Amino acid sequence: MGFSFCGGIVLFFAVFAAISAIAKLSTGTGLDMNSLYRNPAAVITLFLFILFFALVLLDVLVLTLPSSVANKQGGGSGFAGSVGMGFFAGILSTPCSGAIIGAVLVWAQTQPLTVSSAALVLMGVGMAAPYAMLISTPKLLDYVPKPGTWMEIFKKTGGFLLLIIAAKFMLAGLTKDHLINVLLYGVIFCFCVWMWGTWVIFSTPKAKKWTVRSVALIIAVAGGFWLLPTPKQSRVDWQKYDPAVVQNALQKEKPVLLKFTADWCSNCKIVDKTVYQDAATVALLAQKGFVAIKADTTQQGFGATVDYKAVFKEPGNVPNTILLNPDKQTITKIRGLFTPDELKQIITEHF
């Protein structure tokens, strides 16, 4: 009977092996992990998947099976009943093992069918092995640690490890601006999961429960539409700040547009979206032959930061767009926020 229970656990993981095999055979090709990490949508999905199970391990959200399912785990008798109990033990383990199973399922798509199926089944064997050892040698129960605080500490430590995995491995392939937005959404996602799992309890009236969870879902979805899409590529062909590039452009009598910006500057991002994504503005810059240079002042030691104060005599506030006219030898500065029309008017009047 005990070994039948172990067989039920292995059966649970064998089902995942079958799912993996069906997915692979239906597409005819395996998944390339390198391509996966180059796909922002796939990376973000894995990040949120692992983040979700980290929150589960940290007790931000408690996963429970529907009573109609949970009540069946004790049903049946004999070997069939033991197998069923083992299978449901595997289901009940998913709050702790879900992130690992998901990662292995993805990895399995990159391997030959025999290797991937064996790996998934061996996960079940690994989970069933302690039960099998205790069944075959009951005296080992004397050495099994008693339930206590250590179990809670161990579980929550696993949650923090999943957070490290999510941040370190899942987001390595995103661009800088996209990474910042996804991490910000991660915070919103955690808040929504916490709101879903802790703002209501079992005895909360149904109307209030639906209201709270609907609001959490709306915030999560709205935040996703706002922050998760890949940022648009700039319409302007920006060159990295270099005094030699600036000097060379002026010697060739080409006008220069210097965009002094910083990664932490919110107004800079507004200017990028409203001004330098404007088609008419971009066309005018190209028509006038501007050399567009992005002067990054994110950190104190950057060359653009040093020259911003020493050469252009500015205290350091950004955004600031500086236009250099080699013909008239004039410098025009546009500090703070401005509109596409304001920039176009200045260019039309002075260049």
Side-chain angles (χ1 to χ4, degrees):
M1 297 286 286
F3 288 107
S4 298
F5 177 85
C6 296
I9 295 175
V10 176
L11 178 62
F12 171 75
F13 285 87
V15 169
F16 279 97
I19 293 172
S20 174
I22 292 171
K24 191 167 187 177
L25 292 174
S26 62
T27 58
T29 57
L31 179 67
D32 177 9
M33 284 296 287
N34 293 321
S35 297
L36 175 70
Y37 282 108
R38 294 188 183 104
N39 186 328
V43 169
I44 293 170
T45 300
L46 285 173
F47 167 70
L48 295 176
F49 180 81
I50 295 175
L51 182 60
F52 174 80
F53 279 99
L55 296 174
V56 170
L57 292 181
L58 293 170
D59 288 338
V60 175
L61 176 69
V62 178
L63 291 183
T64 57
L65 290 174
S67 57
S68 58
V69 176
N71 291 337
K72 293 181 180 180
Q73 61 178 308
S77 59
F79 290 106
S82 295
V83 171
M85 290 179 65
F87 189 89
F88 277 101
I91 295 176
L92 291 170
S93 72
T94 52
C96 295
S97 62
I100 299 174
I101 294 175
V104 173
L105 278 172
V106 173
W107 169 84
Q109 300 305 303
T110 69
Q111 305 300 314
L113 191 59
T114 53
V115 174
S116 61
S117 299
L120 288 164
V121 172
L122 284 174
M123 286 183 67
V125 172
M127 180 176 172
Y131 293 100
M133 292 174 62
L134 293 174
I135 292 166
S136 59
T137 312
K139 288 185 178 181
L140 291 176
L141 285 169
D142 296 335
Y143 301 96
V144 175
K146 303 300 181 184
T149 306
W150 70 270
M151 296 176 65
E152 192 70 12
I153 293 174
F154 183 82
K155 182 183 74 170
K156 292 185 177 179
T157 299
F160 283 105
L161 288 175
L162 286 181
L163 290 176
I164 293 173
I165 293 172
K168 176 63 177 178
F169 297 105
M170 292 299 100
L171 300 180
L174 298 180
T175 60
K176 180 171 60 177
D177 289 340
H178 201 190
L179 174 61
I180 293 172
N181 285 345
V182 172
L183 289 176
L184 177 58
Y185 179 74
V187 176
I188 295 174
F189 179 78
C190 290
F191 170 79
C192 292
V193 173
W194 171 69
M195 184 178 175
W196 182 290
T198 62
W199 284 28
V200 296
I201 58 177
F202 182 78
S203 59
T204 302
K206 185 175 292 186
K208 181 180 178 180
K209 187 180 296 186
W210 276 101
T211 300
V212 169
R213 290 182 169 175
S214 295
V215 171
L217 187 61
I218 290 171
I219 294 174
V221 172
F225 278 109
W226 172 40
L227 294 169
L228 294 183
T230 302
K232 293 181 179 179
Q233 294 293 324
S234 176
R235 292 174 176 263
V236 179
D237 183 19
W238 297 105
Q239 296 188 43
K240 186 177 180 180
Y241 178 80
D242 185 342
V245 174
V246 177
Q247 190 62 32
N248 183 57
L250 294 176
Q251 287 177 352
K252 294 181 178 179
E253 297 186 348
K254 292 183 177 181
V256 176
L257 184 149
L258 290 161
K259 180 183 71 171
F260 284 90
T261 184
D263 290 343
W264 38 259
C265 172
S266 299
N267 284 344
C268 298
K269 299 184 187 304
I270 294 174
V271 170
D272 282 339
K273 291 180 180 180
T274 59
V275 178
Y276 297 116
Q277 290 291 347
D278 178 66
T281 301
V282 175
L284 181 60
L285 290 174
Q287 177 188 339
K288 296 291 185 178
F290 271 90
V291 176
I293 297 176
K294 179 180 178 180
D296 187 2
T297 66
T298 298
Q299 294 186 18
Q300 192 68 30
F302 284 3
T305 308
V306 175
D307 288 353
Y308 191 38
K309 297 180 180 180
V311 177
F312 297 97
K313 309 303 180 183
E314 289 291 321
N317 297 326
V318 288
N320 191 352
T321 295
I322 298 179
L323 306 171
L324 306 180
N325 189 327
D327 295 330
K328 299 180 180 180
Q329 296 185 348
T330 58
I331 298 177
T332 305
K333 298 180 180 181
I334 311 175
R335 300 181 180 89
L337 295 172
F338 57 94
T339 65
D341 289 339
E342 289 175 321
L343 178 59
K344 286 183 286 187
Q345 181 179 351
I346 290 173
I347 292 175
T348 302
E349 292 177 355
H350 297 279
F351 293 86

